[in-house]
Amino acid sequence: MKMKNVNANKEEKLIGDFYTSKKELTGYPSVDKPHTRFYRKDPIRDININQTIYELVFNTNKDNMNASALEYMGSIWSFDQLKEETDKAANAFHAYGLKMGDCVLCGLSNCPEAVIVLLALNKLGIISKWFDIRAGEKDIEDYANDSDCRCLIAFDLLLPRIQLMLDNTLLEKVLVIKPTDSLSKTMQLGYFLKSKFTMPKDSRYIRFKNFIKTSEKNDDLSCVSFDKNRPSVMIQSSGTTGKPKTIVHSDFSATSCTYKIAYADMPLGIGKELLVLLPPWIAYALGDAIIMPMALGTKIILSPKFEPNTIMNYLGKFTIAFAAPFNYRYLRDHYDELTEKQREGIAKIECLVSGGDKISAEENKVFEEVFGTTLVNGYGNNEGWGALTVNPTLCNKYGTVGIPKFEETIIAYDNVANKELSYGQVGEICALTDTMFLYYEGNEAETELIKKLHPDGKVWLHTGDLGYVDECGFITLSGRARRVIVRRAFKISAYTIEDKICEHPLVKECVAVEVYDEIDEHVPMAYIVLKDGCSDEENIRQSIYDKCRSELKEYEIPKYFRIVESLPYTQNGKYDFRSLELQGNEYVKVQEIK
C-alpha cells in the first residue's frame, strides 16, 4: 500500500531563513555555512552545556519531574522515580568506596537499570565503560584490565564468560542484573522459567538490587562539579578507524549534543515518545537516543531486542524512532501484513530517524510513500558521540545524510594538499564538532590520526569516510577511506577478522571484505590462503570457523569462508579488495541459488 509523498512542497515550509539566497557563495562550506537556514529559530528547550550528564537530565526537567522519563516492557518510570533510584544507586557506589576518576565496566543492554547506572556513576564523577554484551571472555578481561576496573555491572547471561576471566582481573565486585529486575513479579517469573541464571557461590558476586539496599540514605551526597575535560563515558570502537579501540568522552559531548539537537527540526520535547531500537554500548543509542531526548523532556521507550521485526511490536506506542535501516526495511516489506491497529500506529508516527548504514534516494522515497511519514537519514560515529549529521524533517534531501548539527561544520578534505575542497568535490569527511571524543584510551598515536590540527588552527575530527558537500550544505557519502564492514548497523573492522583468522596455525594469509547477502544484507566474507602442505580443507575451514565463533563477536563472524590458492593484488602491490568484493558477490549469488 502506497500513500502520499509527505516530502512534497516542504521547501515552502522551511523553518529558517534562506541564507544562500541572500549571500553569494564562496565555494567553501566552512565559509558559506549554507546549511544554517534549516535550523529552528528557537530551540526545543534551552540547554546549559556546562553541566554533568546527571544534571543535564534532571536539571532540565526540574519543572517536569512527574512526567514519564522512560518505558520498558510496559513499565513506565517518571523523572521523579528515575532520580530517586539513581540517587540510591549513587549512595551505594559511594558507600562501597568508588570515587571520582574510578572506572566501572558495564555489560548491559536496554533496561531502566542501564540508565540508572549511567546517571548514578556520572553523579559521582565515575567513568562508565560500556561494551557489547556479546563480547567474549578475553575481550571482557582486557576491557577490565585496561582501565583497572574494580567493579563490573552486567546482565546475568554474561556470568559464564565472567567466571572464566574474573581471576585474571582486579575486579572485586560483579553486580548482577536480570533484564526483568524492574518488572512485575509475573514477568519476572516468566524470565526465571526460561533463564539458566545461577548466582555463583562467590562473595564477589552480588545482585545489583541487593547492592543498592546495602547503603543508607545520604541526602548530602551532591553531584560532582562539571569539567569538560574529565573522562565520563567510554565506548568500545568497532573499528571505524582501523582496529578496535576504547573511545573516551566527557560530559561535554552529551551536553553539547543536546544543545545542538535542540535546534534541529525533529519532533522532540515534552509529549513526544521515542522508540530506542539500539543497544546502549554505541554512542548513537547512549548519546542520541537515550540521554539527549530525556534531557529535552521526551519519553524514551527502551526495546530489549533489536531484531529487524522488533519495530512491529511497538507500533502505536511512539511518535519518533531511532533505529537502523534494516528495521524500516522489514516494516516496508511486511506492510501488507499489518493489522488495522498497527496501521493506525504508523499514522501516529511523526518522524523516523535512521543511522548506521546508508539509504539510497529511491529507497528513502519509497519508505516515505509507504509509511506516510518522514524518514530522515543521518550519519556519525562513536568518536563524534553518535550523530554528526541528520536531514531536516521539513527538507529531507534523499540520498544524502543531511546537514551538520547546529553551530558545527563539515567539509570534504584533501589530505594530500591539506586543504578544504569545494562543493561537489570528493574528499575525506571531516567535522568541526563539540561532541568530539577526548582520546583513545592508552593510544595517543591513533588519537592524533583522527583528531588533526588543520591550517585554520582548529582541531577537526577525521571520519575515514569519503564524500562531498553540496551547495545547500548537505553531505553525500561515496565510500570509505578505511576498511570497515557494516552489518546490521554494526561497524566491523576488516582488520579484526583478518588478525583473528591469521592467528590460526595453518593460515598463511587472510583478507575480509563486505559482500551482499539477501537475508542479512551486508556481511563479512573471508578469503583464506593456507600454508603449504595443507590438504584437509573442510576440517581446516571448520576449525577456522570455530575459532571465529569463540573469539569474535557474533556479528563479526564471517558468513562466508572461502579458501583460495592466492589473493589478487593491484599494480601498486596492495591487496585488490575491489576484485575480491566482486568475486565474493558472485560467489554469494551462486550459493543462494543452490
Side-chain angles (χ1 to χ4, degrees):
M1 176 181 178
K2 290 193 174 182
M3 305 174 76
K4 65 177 182 177
N5 182 354
V6 297
N7 207 46
N9 301 319
K10 284 185 177 177
E11 189 74 17
E12 299 175 1
K13 299 187 292 181
L14 294 177
I15 291 176
D17 296 323
F18 284 83
Y19 183 93
T20 52
S21 65
K22 298 179 179 180
K23 182 177 179 180
E24 185 177 348
L25 296 178
T26 67
Y28 295 97
S30 67
V31 178
D32 301 330
K33 304 185 186 303
H35 56 278
T36 56
R37 76 193 205 197
F38 300 111
Y39 300 128
R40 293 174 181 266
K41 291 181 178 178
D42 298 304
I44 297 171
R45 175 177 274 182
D46 290 326
I47 298 297
N48 173 16
I49 60 175
N50 296 311
Q51 57 183 334
T52 65
I53 294 174
Y54 172 90
E55 292 170 322
L56 173 70
V57 171
F58 295 122
N59 285 358
T60 53
N61 286 293
K62 62 181 183 296
D63 299 324
N64 189 44
M65 295 298 285
N66 291 326
S68 297
L70 64 83
E71 179 176 341
Y72 176 70
M73 297 177 68
S75 177
I76 299 176
W77 294 49
S78 68
F79 283 101
D80 256 332
Q81 183 182 359
L82 180 62
K83 185 176 186 301
E84 181 181 354
E85 295 302 318
T86 295
D87 289 341
K88 287 180 183 178
N91 289 341
F93 290 134
H94 177 73
Y96 173 62
L98 292 174
K99 59 185 183 303
M100 182 190 298
D102 286 344
C103 184
V104 171
L105 195 58
C106 302
L108 302 170
S109 191
N110 283 346
C111 65
E113 289 83 2
V115 180
I116 289 168
V117 165
L118 168 72
L119 297 175
L121 293 174
N122 184 260
K123 179 180 181 179
L124 302 177
I126 299 166
I127 304 164
S128 56
K129 185 174 184 178
W130 298 79
F131 68 91
D132 188 333
I133 61 173
R134 295 167 297 186
E137 60 267 16
K138 185 60 172 67
D139 284 331
I140 301 173
E141 177 184 323
D142 290 341
Y143 298 151
N145 289 336
D146 288 345
S147 302
D148 295 329
C149 296
R150 295 168 48 208
C151 181
L152 165 61
I153 307 174
F155 271 173
D156 57 349
L157 63 88
L158 274 71
L159 285 177
R161 282 169 276 165
I162 293 171
Q163 287 177 277
L164 292 173
M165 47 68 67
L166 187 59
D167 290 338
N168 301 325
T169 70
L170 298 175
L171 291 167
E172 301 167 353
K173 283 291 180 189
V174 179
L175 308 182
V176 183
I177 295 173
K178 290 199 294 186
T180 55
D181 274 347
S182 60
L183 302 180
S184 66
K185 297 294 184 182
T186 302
M187 295 193 73
Q188 288 187 33
L189 177 61
Y191 179 80
F192 175 78
L193 293 174
K194 296 178 183 178
S195 173
K196 298 180 180 179
F197 169 77
T198 302
M199 180 69 78
K201 294 180 179 179
D202 183 328
S203 62
R204 290 174 293 182
Y205 295 86
I206 183 173
R207 292 287 297 276
F208 179 72
K209 62 181 184 180
N210 294 334
F211 175 79
I212 300 303
K213 295 176 182 177
T214 62
S215 65
E216 297 180 359
K217 187 175 181 181
N218 184 355
D219 293 331
D220 295 329
L221 188 61
S222 59
C223 180
V224 297
S225 59
F226 170 74
D227 181 350
K228 68 180 297 183
N229 296 312
R230 183 179 64 237
S232 173
V233 175
M234 292 186 183
I235 299 169
Q236 304 308 312
S237 163
S238 51
T240 305
T241 55
K243 297 182 180 181
K245 294 171 284 290
T246 297
I247 300 165
V248 183
H249 280 278
S250 72
D251 289 332
F252 192 58
S253 291
T255 57
S256 295
C257 174
T258 305
Y259 165 75
K260 293 168 186 300
I261 296 298
Y263 282 91
D265 69 347
M266 283 189 291
L268 295 167
I270 296 175
K272 307 301 181 182
E273 300 163 300
L274 188 150
L275 176 62
V276 185
L277 276 175
L278 306 157
W281 55 79
I282 59 174
Y284 178 26
L286 197 64
D288 298 327
I290 295 178
I291 297 172
M292 179 272 294
M294 282 200 303
L296 294 178
T298 303
K299 181 179 86 172
I300 60 172
I301 303 171
L302 298 171
S303 171
K305 296 182 179 180
F306 317 110
E307 298 302 315
N309 63 340
T310 303
I311 192 170
M312 308 272 276
N313 301 328
Y314 290 91
L315 293 176
K317 297 182 179 180
F318 63 93
T319 56
I320 180 172
F322 277 30
F326 62 77
N327 295 114
Y328 302 129
R329 287 174 185 139
Y330 187 94
L331 185 59
R332 174 200 63 196
D333 295 342
H334 294 80
Y335 187 88
D336 291 337
E337 302 170 18
L338 297 181
T339 65
E340 189 61 35
K341 185 176 181 179
Q342 286 176 316
R343 295 191 187 197
E344 290 175 0
I346 288 184
K348 177 183 176 180
I349 300 171
E350 298 178 29
C351 180
L352 299 170
V353 180
S354 178
D357 202 354
K358 65 181 180 181
I359 293 177
S360 69
E362 181 57 32
E363 187 175 34
N364 204 149
K365 180 181 178 183
V366 170
F367 279 145
E368 292 198 345
E369 289 176 344
V370 173
F371 302 149
T373 192
T374 302
L375 187 147
V376 295
N377 196 25
Y379 160 77
N381 56 27
N382 285 321
E383 286 85 352
W385 194 244
L388 291 171
T389 72
V390 69
N391 261 285
T393 65
L394 295 179
C395 193
N396 188 15
K397 196 163 188 178
Y398 300 149
T400 76
V401 292
I403 61 172
K405 300 194 296 291
F406 182 68
E407 293 183 347
E408 296 191 352
T409 304
I410 288 182
I411 61 174
Y413 196 71
D414 184 334
N415 285 298
V416 176
N418 285 323
K419 68 175 185 178
E420 176 183 356
L421 297 171
S422 186
Y423 300 114
Q425 293 183 302
V426 175
E428 182 177 7
I429 297 299
C430 297
L432 188 62
T433 172
D434 288 332
T435 61
M436 190 186 311
F437 74 124
L438 293 175
Y439 51 83
Y440 291 125
E441 182 184 34
N443 202 331
E444 183 178 349
E446 283 290 334
T447 302
E448 292 176 353
L449 292 176
I450 307 305
K451 296 177 68 170
K452 292 186 178 180
L453 184 67
H454 282 200
D456 61 3
K458 299 174 182 177
V459 175
W460 291 71
L461 178 67
H462 282 239
T463 67
D465 292 310
L466 301 176
Y468 63 88
V469 184
D470 67 23
E471 293 187 356
C472 290
F474 287 76
I475 293 92
T476 298
L477 301 179
S478 58
R480 297 187 182 93
R482 299 179 180 90
R483 300 178 55 227
V484 179
I485 300 167
V486 179
R487 185 178 195 173
R488 289 194 174 182
F490 291 104
K491 293 180 179 179
I492 307 164
S493 168
Y495 301 109
T496 299
I497 297 172
E498 292 163 358
D499 287 353
K500 192 58 62 180
I501 292 177
C502 284
E503 289 176 1
H504 192 285
L506 299 180
V507 172
K508 179 181 179 181
E509 292 179 273
C510 174
V511 168
V513 297
E514 181 178 284
V515 295
Y516 185 82
D517 173 271
E518 283 192 358
I519 297 175
D520 294 319
E521 298 186 349
H522 307 289
V523 297
M525 177 175 181
Y527 284 91
I528 301 163
V529 177
L530 300 179
K531 291 180 179 178
D532 295 341
C534 295
S535 56
D536 192 354
E537 291 189 1
E538 276 307 310
N539 282 334
I540 295 174
R541 181 187 286 108
Q542 183 62 44
S543 175
I544 293 170
Y545 171 75
D546 290 342
K547 179 178 177 61
C548 290
R549 187 174 59 179
S550 65
E551 299 181 27
L552 291 175
K553 298 181 182 69
E554 179 185 357
Y555 62 85
E556 292 176 331
I557 301 170
K559 185 165 185 177
Y560 300 96
F561 294 81
R562 192 173 183 193
I563 294 176
V564 295
E565 291 186 2
S566 62
L567 295 168
Y569 289 82
T570 66
Q571 292 181 344
N572 294 328
K574 298 180 179 180
Y575 287 125
D576 191 342
F577 302 117
R578 179 59 180 159
S579 173
L580 290 172
E581 288 174 355
L582 293 173
Q583 292 178 40
N585 282 312
E586 291 301 316
Y587 176 82
V588 172
K589 288 179 183 178
V590 172
Q591 300 304 308
E592 289 174 340
I593 292 173
K594 291 180 180 180

